[in-house]
Amino acid sequence: MTRRQSLGRDFGWLWAAFAASTVGTWLALDALPLIAVLVLHSSAMQVSVLSAAGLAVGALIVLPLGPWVEFRRKRPVMISMDLLRFLAMLSLPAAYALGCLGFAQLVVVSVIVAAANIVFTSASGAHLKDLVRPEDLLTAGSRFETTTWTATALGPPLGGAAIGMFGPLTTVVLDAVSYLLSALGIRAISGREPQPPARPARRFSTGDVVEGWRYVLRHPVLRPLFFNTALVNGLIMAIAPLLAVLLLRDLGFAPWQYGLAFGVPCIGGLVGSRLAPWLVARFGQHRVMLVSGALRACWPLGLAFVRPGLPGLLIVMVTEFCLITCVGVFNPVFATYRLEHTATERITRTLSAWSITSRATIATLTVLGGLLAHVTSPRTTIAIAGVLILSTPLLLPRRPALSVEAAEPVTVP
């Protein structure tokens, strides 16, 4: 029996659902900022606020839902989040067709989608641990990562071409449909979902809401990774709307060039995710995570040196290729490491806390980046973020845990 067959039919449906929504997401790369720039002619500050508001308010909405999701079956939750995202995204082309699309609606849709993303990610992470054997978690994670980077490589150029041919809302429709397909794929999983942990008889308290953070911050293995990933992701994503303004407005790149600049380098993510299991088998999980995590911080500074025309396009593509290759190795190894060192009955709340913190950090840094870009320039802000990212490897865990049991946090009464 092959390694692929050992993951089972139900994992195949989950993988197909993931692939559908991922393809839609990357076809609509930065769809809301692009609509803000190309349709509503928004400023750099407005684009940054749009990106930040969805993440910040979405995370605030999800905050009390972690305990609720922990004690519910995960597949119905995932399907509900897919349908919610489908309806939210579909409202944009409807409003555009009626001539009433505005900046406020972009913000509302951004909030809804961000909140649904957090809930879906938390539920799916817990469900994945139920679907596959512990020894297959890295293989499953690598397949998800490979799918992500394949879609990322193909989606932006195709999405940019579709926008150029059919208008700026085309990819939003495709993204909406992808969530519907994802819901159908999850619905097709036939295996019986394990019974969730028994819900406490008492009402949920503030302690239940913050349990995910409490668990992570007491955990010697997860705590440094928590801070590292929040800062790296926050700084990289804070650059994204500024790059859109710099490339599309200041340097005059066409939408298809913008898509090409970020699509082709994603081949590096495909390569990295395929290499991750081999590298772990050869060099060990912790070493691979430490080295790839440090290397991914070395490249964003290069984006500050982009220039007009072909030289600028090549700078973006080379820089992104190196960054994404390192991320492609790091992400599945990190995701497996996190699942292995999180108690089963705390997975959903831990992943919720992680996602909320990540998105809140992205939102905060995006707003700060927008303000700094307003005072200085998008290029200067990108350079400052690149310098700050260089310090983040100091937050990676320097030593591996002796065992999963040794890494369990101390229980405080």
Side-chain angles (χ1 to χ4, degrees):
M1 180 175 291
T2 66
R3 189 72 168 173
R4 181 178 297 273
Q5 292 172 325
S6 69
L7 296 189
R9 176 181 178 277
D10 286 339
F11 172 78
W13 279 115
L14 181 64
W15 190 14
F18 175 82
S21 62
T22 302
V23 168
T25 296
W26 286 102
L27 279 172
L29 171 67
D30 292 335
L32 301 189
L34 283 174
I35 292 171
V37 172
L38 299 177
V39 177
L40 303 179
H41 309 292
S42 302
S43 67
M45 183 61 198
Q46 286 178 307
V47 174
S48 294
V49 168
L50 171 63
S51 299
L55 295 170
V57 181
L60 185 63
I61 291 172
V62 170
L63 185 60
L65 295 181
W68 179 80
V69 176
E70 189 80 72
F71 300 107
R72 296 185 67 86
R73 294 190 185 276
K74 306 305 183 290
R75 289 207 293 265
V77 171
M78 294 159 65
I79 291 171
S80 298
M81 294 303 102
D82 271 335
L83 295 178
L84 180 60
R85 291 184 288 185
F86 165 71
L87 293 173
M89 294 300 290
L90 204 61
S91 72
L92 294 176
Y96 181 74
L98 295 172
C100 58
L101 178 62
F103 186 78
Q105 184 178 357
L106 290 182
V107 174
V108 171
V109 170
S110 178
V111 168
I112 293 172
V113 172
N117 284 344
I118 296 174
V119 175
F120 184 94
T121 300
S122 302
S124 63
H127 193 46
L128 177 63
K129 198 168 182 178
D130 292 329
L131 283 182
V132 302
R133 298 173 301 181
E135 61 269 26
D136 287 329
L137 281 173
L138 179 57
T139 301
S142 295
R143 291 183 187 175
F144 285 135
E145 193 71 11
T146 298
T147 301
T148 296
W149 292 115
T150 301
T152 308
L154 298 176
L158 294 175
I163 289 173
M165 294 174 63
F166 304 110
L169 274 295
T170 304
T171 56
V172 174
V173 175
L174 296 175
D175 193 20
V177 172
S178 75
Y179 291 127
L180 184 60
L181 294 176
S182 174
L184 292 174
I186 295 168
R187 180 68 179 82
I189 297 175
S190 59
R192 181 175 176 83
E193 184 176 350
Q195 187 72 24
R199 177 174 175 172
R202 58 178 174 79
R203 297 180 62 181
F204 291 130
S205 65
T206 303
D208 294 309
V209 172
V210 301
E211 173 60 25
W213 285 278
R214 189 159 50 195
Y215 183 79
V216 171
L217 294 177
R218 292 173 182 166
H219 202 298
V221 172
L222 299 181
R223 183 173 58 248
L225 280 174
F226 178 74
F227 290 115
N228 174 269
T229 55
L231 284 175
V232 171
N233 293 339
L235 288 167
I236 289 176
M237 294 306 296
I239 290 173
L242 302 178
L243 273 175
V245 173
L246 178 64
L247 296 179
L248 294 170
R249 188 192 69 184
D250 297 349
L251 300 180
F253 283 84
W256 70 267
Q257 291 175 310
Y258 178 79
L260 187 69
F262 291 98
V264 173
C266 292
I267 296 172
L270 178 62
V271 173
S273 62
R274 295 295 295 271
L275 283 175
W278 178 82
L279 290 172
V280 168
R282 184 173 178 83
F283 299 106
Q285 184 186 54
H286 182 266
R287 181 179 296 178
V288 171
M289 185 174 65
L290 185 64
V291 173
S292 61
L295 288 176
R296 83 196 199 281
C298 298
W299 306 106
L301 181 60
L303 295 172
F305 301 97
V306 63
R307 292 292 182 266
L310 181 60
L313 190 63
L314 291 176
I315 289 174
V316 175
M317 293 175 70
V318 171
T319 302
E320 288 289 325
F321 178 84
C322 295
L323 169 63
I324 290 169
T325 300
C326 297
V327 171
V329 174
F330 177 83
N331 280 353
V333 179
F334 151 70
T336 301
Y337 198 81
R338 180 174 59 181
L339 283 177
E340 288 176 348
H341 291 85
T342 303
T344 300
E345 68 276 8
R346 289 186 172 92
I347 288 177
T348 302
R349 279 174 287 180
T350 298
L351 295 183
S352 293
W354 211 296
S355 294
I356 290 170
T357 301
S358 177
R359 284 158 173 77
T361 304
I362 292 171
T364 301
L365 293 177
T366 299
V367 169
L368 293 176
L371 290 171
L372 185 58
H374 180 71
V375 174
T376 58
S377 69
R379 188 188 300 278
T380 300
T381 305
I382 291 168
I384 292 172
V387 171
L388 292 175
I389 292 173
L390 291 174
S391 67
T392 57
L394 297 175
L395 295 172
L396 288 167
R398 313 307 297 179
R399 297 178 181 178
L402 298 177
S403 66
V404 173
E405 290 76 13
E408 281 296 302
V410 177
T411 301
V412 178

